[in-house]
């Protein structure tokens, strides 16, 4: 560990006791991180990508150099733990130091070295990572929302969270410490703030530093591979390898627990005499996974690429679903809440069982005469006065002791000369005799071995004669795995065979709404309504489509029908209320919101739907009831402290006693999508003046660590300027100057994704049909939804007006190459692009593929790739293409020269490029 980091941790630990108090505060933590080049200027459209990333930029230009950054840190501390949370780095818990032994529960990597592992590329191994709705999520090392506060019970908390730009869904984690407890609590909320259902999973991923003697302590007899392809035994697998020992992981190991209903898992390291346990209610968080890079040469390379001190770690992961190929849908207005716990372990040798009261270890040591010595240790998670610990063999007690337990003191005993053929039970009871923790050796809540068939698992065979249900299942499975364009094709194929299927019509129409194909959705759902007139979901999604088509009467009819059903009362009622508000019936909207998803009733009520609360607060204020707005905002911010909308409303309603958090304007300025989120919601309520006020604000400067890489400043974001003109027009003013200003702003990293932007950009083009930027952005938005031909038309218009728009030819060429299957035309488009953007790597990569398909030689391709102007900083994908072309043309020495002394970031699942003899 670096001396500076060690001094920082020792300084941070401070005194062991804080007089039973908890405290939370802000500070700065200096630590080095890998430098990055600029994000990829080209949008990563779903049509071309393996993973859904649009509208996020890709961060794959990782450099070998490092820079020390003054990271903003949130500190949470009681007498036993001190935790450090980093809101500028995905809200990771960087460390949680056990003040009793000075060890961090989580992997305190001394620097944030990056590799290409996350969905967007850059990822770093440290601490605890929260993953929703996908793994290594889009903001895993990006700034997120945050807040902190103190509760009436004496606990303190830090809340971190984010609303993603792909689906508009929220995750928040409230991280809590309580007086007198060694438990780290995490209250997780997953919510769908958007109007449509979306796929999701949740995986909590904690890095735990390990050494050769570290033990994986999972209460299971079987493991299963991702995708349920193979079941193996645990801890000794079918090859005779004991995989509970990290030293045996060889080329790497990852697997999920199978057949176990236990609530805990952990890692213990005799090297440090410490460990960590995760605990969660099995009914809420049933899944467990362990991941390890292993111990071989490849693993050592990963260790060097991800740390400066060559340290190793494993990942302890908990999730909602059986594995990481399993997703479910989160419906509009649906929220899921659950709690996870972490606890430190020290000085007991292993982990045998754990619950919220503590951790017990039981280990046997053989003796010469065939007897055993039983070593027993216990870590209490809180003070337990006048406790009783009993150890029995089923017939008699071999230990019976009254003891007052304290987290600061590890309880251990060794009982020698015990019969080896007995099973021993540990029982901890409180002063009233109530059992707090009980464990019998080898007994866990799991499937017996004779009920599980190990080895490769049978695969479900596809039906040869496909019926309506087969097409529906295929489309649903594709949607669950975010392959929406193929899902649409599957539904259409089913409708070609079963044109009257209400289920297929609904599925196709519902997906068409998510893809902004509103006329298609209206037609499909209209047919579905004829066949299933009482289906509230059909009415709900058709209401969205009609609203987008500017058919308010039809939208109102369908949303009213959806709202009449219990299953869509909240979702349909909220959209209907927003429609009423836009039609200047704020009083009616408020009444409907109260009936559909009440924001408040009794003082003890727990409001469930954030958007309902936000809408209610804004409409209360807009209708002049400032007291109601202020009371609702202050009450709701205690439950939803990271809501930027509520924080903005608090300022408008002069509600000052809000939870501590970032300066609102600076936080909004750091990522203009946050501003846009608020504007979209105000617009949906018809509160265009509130939107215009946000868009007209003079925002402050922002530190680089607070900004999303590539994010434009508010004053230079053309989408905000287009919205400004749109909102002025809605207020009866002229938007011409704003539209003109937007058309002159840079388009680098501007990737539109919101359905509402279609109307905004159409309005800008109605004012100025020669606005190249509006044509380009509209085409980009269309193509992101798979609306191919209209996208190409808009892009061609943009190119005719301004051929220098960033990424334009790269996107058009890719469509011609990969979608239209026209390599010659694609090559010509890429060549035009090189004249406009000679430094855009995507043009070279696209042209390389087009030349391959048109029969150009490897030497010709290599010559083209060598024209990239910045050879020293050539992106890794381009280096791979050049090396491949050189080797294909028999020029291995030149290929080796390209690789010599060149740093290439490593990508998970991709073999590193090496020189050949």
């Amino acid at each position: 560990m670096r001396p500076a980091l060690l001094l920082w941790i020792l300084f941070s630990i401070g005194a062991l006791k804080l007089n039973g108090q908890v405290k939370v505060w802000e500070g700065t933590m200096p630590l080095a991180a890998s430098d990055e080049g600029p994000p990829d200027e080209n949008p990563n459209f779903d049509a071309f990508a393996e993973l859904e990333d649009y509208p996020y930029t890709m961060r794959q230009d990782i450099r070998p150099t490092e820079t020390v950054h003054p990271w903003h840190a949130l500190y949470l501390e009681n007498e036993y733990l001190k935790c450090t949370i980093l809101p500028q780095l995905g809200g990771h818990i960087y460390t949680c130091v056990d003040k009793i032994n000075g060890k961090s529960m989580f992997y305190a990597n001394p620097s944030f070295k990056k590799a290409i592992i996350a969905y967007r590329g850059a990822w770093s191994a440290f601490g605890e990572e929260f993953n929703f709705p996908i793994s290594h999520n889009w903001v895993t090392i990006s700034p997120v929302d945050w807040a902190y506060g103190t509760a009436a019970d004496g606990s303190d908390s830090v809340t971190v969270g984010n609303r993603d730009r792909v689906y508009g869904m929220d995750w928040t984690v409230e991280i809590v410490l309580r007086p007198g407890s060694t438990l780290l609590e995490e209250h997780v909320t997953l919510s769908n703030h958007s109007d449509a259902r979306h796929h999701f999973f949740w995986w909590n991923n904690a890095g735990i530093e390990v050494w050769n003697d570290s033990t994986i302590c999972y209460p299971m007899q079987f493991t299963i591979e991702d995708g349920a392809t193979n079941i193996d035994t645990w801890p000794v697998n079918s090859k005779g390898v004991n995989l509970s020992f990290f030293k045996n992981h060889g080329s790497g190991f990852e697997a999920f627990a199978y057949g176990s209903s236990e609530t805990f898992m952990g890692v213990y390291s005799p090297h440090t005499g410490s460990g960590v346990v995760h605990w969660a209610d099995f009914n809420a968080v049933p899944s467990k996974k362990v991941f390890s890079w292993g111990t071989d040469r490849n693993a050592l390379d990963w260790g060097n690429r991800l740390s400066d001190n060559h340290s190793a770690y494993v990942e302890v992961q908990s999730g909602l679903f059986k594995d990481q190929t399993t997703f479910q849908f989160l419906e509009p207005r649906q929220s899921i809440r659950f709690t996870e716990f972490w606890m430190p372990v020290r000085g007991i040798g292993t982990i045998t069982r754990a619950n919220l009261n503590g951790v017990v270890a039981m280990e046997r040591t053989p003796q010469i005469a065939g007897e055993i010595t039983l070593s027993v240790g216990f870590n209490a998670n809180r003070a337990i006065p006048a406790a009783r610990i009993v150890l029995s063999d089923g017939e008699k007690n071999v230990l019976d002791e009254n003891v007052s337990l304290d987290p600061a003191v590890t309880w251990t005993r060794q009982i020698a000369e015990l019969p080896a053929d007995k099973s021993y039970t540990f029982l901890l009871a409180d002063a009233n005799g109530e059992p707090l923790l009980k464990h019998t050796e080898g007994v866990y809540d799991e499937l017996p071995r004779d009920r599980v068939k190990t080895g490769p698992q049978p695969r479900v065979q596809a039906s040869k004669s496909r019926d309506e249900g087969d097409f529906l299942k295929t489309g649903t499975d594709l949607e669950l795995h975010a392959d929406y364009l193929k899902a649409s094709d599957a539904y259409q194929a089913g409708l070609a065979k079963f044109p009257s299927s209400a289920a297929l019509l609904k599925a196709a129409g519902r997906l068409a709404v998510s893809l902004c194909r509103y006329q298609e959705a209206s037609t499909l759902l209209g047919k579905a309504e004829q066949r299933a007139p009482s289906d509230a979901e059909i009415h709900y999604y058709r209401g969205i489509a009609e609203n987008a088509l500017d058919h308010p009467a039809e939208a109102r009819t369908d949303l009213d029908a959806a709202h009449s059903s219990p299953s869509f009362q909240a979702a349909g009622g909220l959209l209907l209320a927003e429609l009423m508000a836009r039609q200047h019936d704020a009083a009616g909207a408020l009444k409907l919101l109260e009936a559909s998803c009440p924001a408040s009733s009794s003082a003890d009520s727990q409001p469930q739907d954030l958007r309902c609360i936000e809408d209610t607060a804004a409409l209360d204020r807009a209708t002049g009831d400032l007291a109601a707005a202020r009371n609702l905002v202050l009450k709701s911010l205690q439950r939803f402290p990271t809501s930027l909308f509520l924080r903005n409303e608090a300022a408008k309603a002069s509600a000052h006693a809000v939870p501590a958090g970032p300066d609102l304007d600076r936080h909004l300025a750091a990522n203009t999508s946050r501003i846009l989120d608020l504007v979209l919601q105000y617009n949906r309520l018809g509160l265009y003046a509130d939107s215009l006020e946000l868009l007209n604000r003079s925002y402050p400067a922002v530190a680089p660590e607070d900004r999303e890489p590539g994010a434009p400043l508010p004053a230079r974001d053309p989408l905000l300027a287009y919205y400004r003109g749109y909102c002025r027009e809605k207020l009866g003013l002229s938007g011409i100057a704003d539209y003109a200003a937007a058309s002159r702003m840079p388009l680098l990293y501007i990737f539109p994704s919101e359905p509402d932007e279609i109307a905004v950009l159409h309005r800008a083009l109605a004012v100025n049909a020669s606005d190249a930027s509006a044509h380009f952005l509209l085409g980009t938005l269309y193509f992101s939804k798979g609306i191919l031909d209209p996208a190409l038309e808009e892009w061609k218009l943009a190119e005719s007006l301004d051929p220098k728009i960033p990424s334009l030819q790269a996107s058009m060429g890719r469509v011609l190459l990969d979608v239209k299957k026209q390599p010659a035309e694609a090559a010509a488009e890429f060549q035009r692009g090189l004249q406009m953007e000679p430094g855009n790597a995507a043009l070279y990569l696209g042209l390389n593929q087009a030349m391959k398909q048109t029969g150009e030689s490897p030497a010709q391709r290599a010559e083209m790739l060598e024209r990239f102007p910045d050879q020293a900083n050539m992106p890794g994908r381009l280096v791979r293409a050049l090396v491949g072309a050189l080797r294909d043309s028999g020029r291995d020495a030149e290929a080796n020269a390209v690789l010599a002394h060149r740093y290439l970031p490593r990508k998970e699942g991709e073999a590193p490029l090496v020189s050949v003899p």
Side-chain angles (χ1 to χ4, degrees), residues 223-241:
T223 62
I224 190 166
E225 294 177 359
D226 208 4
T229 56
N230 189 74
I231 295 176
D232 208 338
T233 52
W234 175 272
V236 179
N237 70 3
S238 56
K239 297 179 180 179
V241 179

Side-chain angles (χ1 to χ4, degrees), residues 317-646:
Q317 301 184 23
S318 59
L320 302 185
F321 309 138
K322 65 179 183 179
D323 58 25
Q324 289 167 350
T325 63
T326 301
F327 293 82
Q328 289 186 14
F329 290 114
L330 199 62
E331 299 293 336
R333 315 275 56 78
Q334 183 183 2
S335 293
I336 298 173
R337 294 180 174 87
F338 52 90
T339 300
E340 304 186 54
F341 297 86
W342 297 91
M343 60 196 80
V345 186
R346 70 198 75 80
I348 59 175
T350 188
I351 299 164
T352 302
R353 180 171 290 281
N355 64 18
L356 299 185
N357 294 304
V359 185
V360 66
M362 299 173 69
E363 285 190 295
R364 291 181 169 216
T365 303
Q367 294 181 270
I368 296 175
E371 297 176 317
I372 64 163
T373 294
L374 189 63
S375 300
V376 185
F378 182 75
N379 294 141
N381 288 333
R382 57 182 173 85
I384 308 174
R388 182 187 179 195
I389 294 178
V390 174
L391 196 68
S392 67
D393 64 5
E395 298 176 355
K396 65 179 184 300
N397 294 341
V398 299
L399 175 74
D400 192 336
E401 179 178 326
N402 294 314
V403 60
S404 289
L405 299 168
D406 186 273
V409 179
T410 297
W411 180 91
T412 59
R413 296 290 184 272
Q414 287 190 333
I415 304 99
E417 299 179 353
L418 294 176
D421 60 349
K422 299 279 190 178
S423 290
Y424 296 91
T425 297
F426 172 93
L427 174 64
L428 168 68
D430 66 13
N432 298 318
E434 291 295 322
L436 300 179
L437 190 153
K438 182 178 181 181
H439 179 74
T440 300
E441 290 180 295
V443 177
Y444 294 101
D445 187 0
E446 56 193 359
L447 290 175
R449 286 186 178 258
D450 60 3
R451 289 181 54 190
V452 176
K453 178 184 178 297
T454 57
Q457 299 300 294
R459 309 299 293 175
V460 177
Q461 299 297 318
S463 172
K464 293 183 178 179
S465 56
R466 303 191 71 188
D467 61 17
E468 172 188 352
D470 292 325
F471 286 103
L472 194 63
K473 183 181 185 305
T474 297
T476 301
D477 288 347
L478 288 165
E479 279 195 76
L480 282 169
H481 291 88
D483 201 340
Y484 303 112
L485 302 182
K486 287 185 179 178
S488 179
D489 291 343
Y491 294 138
Q492 292 298 334
L495 285 170
K497 191 172 181 180
F498 304 100
S500 298
S501 168
L504 285 169
L505 287 165
K506 179 171 78 170
R510 181 180 53 212
L511 180 54
V513 168
S514 296
L515 294 173
C516 300
R517 303 173 182 179
Y518 297 117
Q519 188 56 62
E520 176 186 339
S522 176
T523 301
L524 290 164
L525 293 168
K527 293 179 180 178
E529 275 184 5
Q530 294 172 7
R531 291 157 178 81
S534 62
D535 190 315
E537 188 174 21
I538 294 174
H539 288 292
Y540 174 77
Y541 281 98
R542 192 179 184 203
I544 296 174
E546 297 299 342
N547 181 64
L549 292 169
D550 199 21
H551 300 157
E554 293 85 346
R556 190 161 185 161
T557 298
D558 273 304
L559 291 174
D560 189 58
H563 167 252
S564 299
S565 168
S567 59
F568 277 83
Q569 181 182 38
L574 183 136
L575 293 188
L576 186 55
E578 290 178 346
L579 176 58
M580 293 170 69
R582 289 196 302 277
Q583 294 178 331
H584 312 293
D585 185 6
L590 280 167
K591 187 175 181 180
L592 184 58
L593 285 171
E594 178 62 24
S596 304
C597 50
S600 64
S601 52
S602 69
D604 298 325
S605 68
Q606 291 292 314
Q608 297 296 308
D609 186 71
L610 175 58
R611 186 163 148 192
C612 180
I613 295 166
E614 293 169 338
D615 282 3
T616 302
L619 290 174
D620 275 341
R621 173 186 54 79
T623 54
D625 196 345
L626 283 179
R630 187 181 303 116
N631 290 338
L632 179 58
V633 165
L634 289 176
K635 173 184 175 181
S636 301
L637 274 171
Q638 300 307 310
R639 184 165 176 80
F640 303 101
T642 58
S643 168
L644 301 182
F645 192 95
L646 289 179

